[in-house]
Amino acid sequence: GLPYVGAELARRACALASEGRPDAAADAWRKLHELLLAHDGAANNFSLSAAAVHAALAAAPAEALPSWLVAYFGAAPPHLAGDPAAPIELEVSEVGGASGDPRQAHRDAVSEVEKVLADFPATNAALHVRGVLGCGGDAHVRIVHGGEPAALERAHVLQAALCDTDPDLEPTRPCACTPLRRNPAALCRALLRHERTQLAALLRQLRLGCEAAVR
């Protein structure tokens, strides 16, 4: 299945890097990233990314994982993780705005996010939806800014607008947006299997997770 494809891409990228073929390795990592963005999700508990990191560390246990792959798991927001150019990603969840009808609740949540995005046309943001929220589906907003100051400021303004959907404060709003976390525990488990070479990376992920939780 797709987890196997993700694992094979990760293994191939590591093998190409060890052969001194950085461009080919970068292409394999790019294909893996595209696969994860298209098919890795909450419905499968992010099994594709978990398979990829296990395969990469098994193939090259002493090498650092690509920074984008580590950041992909979302242990902490980019500004805490030390990658200010990384996209801001927010998970969208429905909060029962349709009173017992999950499909209508899904439509209400998606519509609410789309309305907020429409108010920020100059911001490079997109809503990605798979399936039906609350019924095994998932959705997230990806805000790309590249670390450029003006774009980053716009991204933060949009993030604030999207996250201003706290159901405790506004119970009539049909959705909530929170920082996207793609099962960072799976990354920590993979790193722990290679603690002799990956202990520093493991401890960093644990620290980031704790810092994100207290903020």
Side-chain angles (χ1 to χ4, degrees), residues 3-17 29 51-52 54-56 58-59:
Y4 175 80
V5 175
E8 282 300 302
L9 283 170
R11 275 191 285 265
R12 177 167 175 76
C14 292
L16 291 167
W29 287 124
H54 276 286

Side-chain angles (χ1 to χ4, degrees), residues 37-198:
L37 291 175
H39 300 289
D40 198 39
N44 55 40
N45 198 27
F46 302 101
S47 59
L48 278 72
S49 49
V53 293
H54 276 286
L57 290 170
E63 298 297 324
L65 293 168
S67 58
W68 70 262
L69 182 55
V70 173
Y72 175 86
F73 285 85
H79 70 281
L80 289 180
D83 187 3
I88 295 172
E89 295 184 293
L90 303 171
E91 180 181 10
V92 179
S93 56
E94 54 85 18
V95 290
S99 177
D101 182 347
R103 292 190 177 276
Q104 186 59 47
H106 164 88
R107 288 192 289 268
D108 289 345
V110 170
S111 176
E112 180 74 14
V113 172
E114 288 176 338
K115 281 192 274 187
V116 175
L117 293 181
D119 290 334
F120 296 85
T123 303
N124 185 4
L127 172 64
H128 303 271
V129 182
R130 285 179 292 206
V132 177
L133 294 174
C135 298
D138 58 77
H140 73 277
V141 174
R142 182 177 173 88
I143 311 172
V144 178
H145 53 79
E148 193 274 321
L152 182 58
E153 182 178 357
R154 291 194 297 269
H156 284 156
V157 173
L158 172 57
Q159 179 182 11
L162 287 166
C163 291
D164 187 24
T165 55
D166 188 336
D168 294 330
L169 299 178
E170 299 187 58
T172 61
R173 300 196 74 171
C175 67
C177 294
T178 54
L180 177 60
R181 293 166 62 85
R182 295 184 176 97
N183 195 8
L187 171 62
C188 291
R189 286 192 294 270
L191 293 168
L192 185 59
R193 293 185 64 179
H194 303 276
E195 60 178 308
R196 291 184 61 185
T197 54
Q198 300 292 338

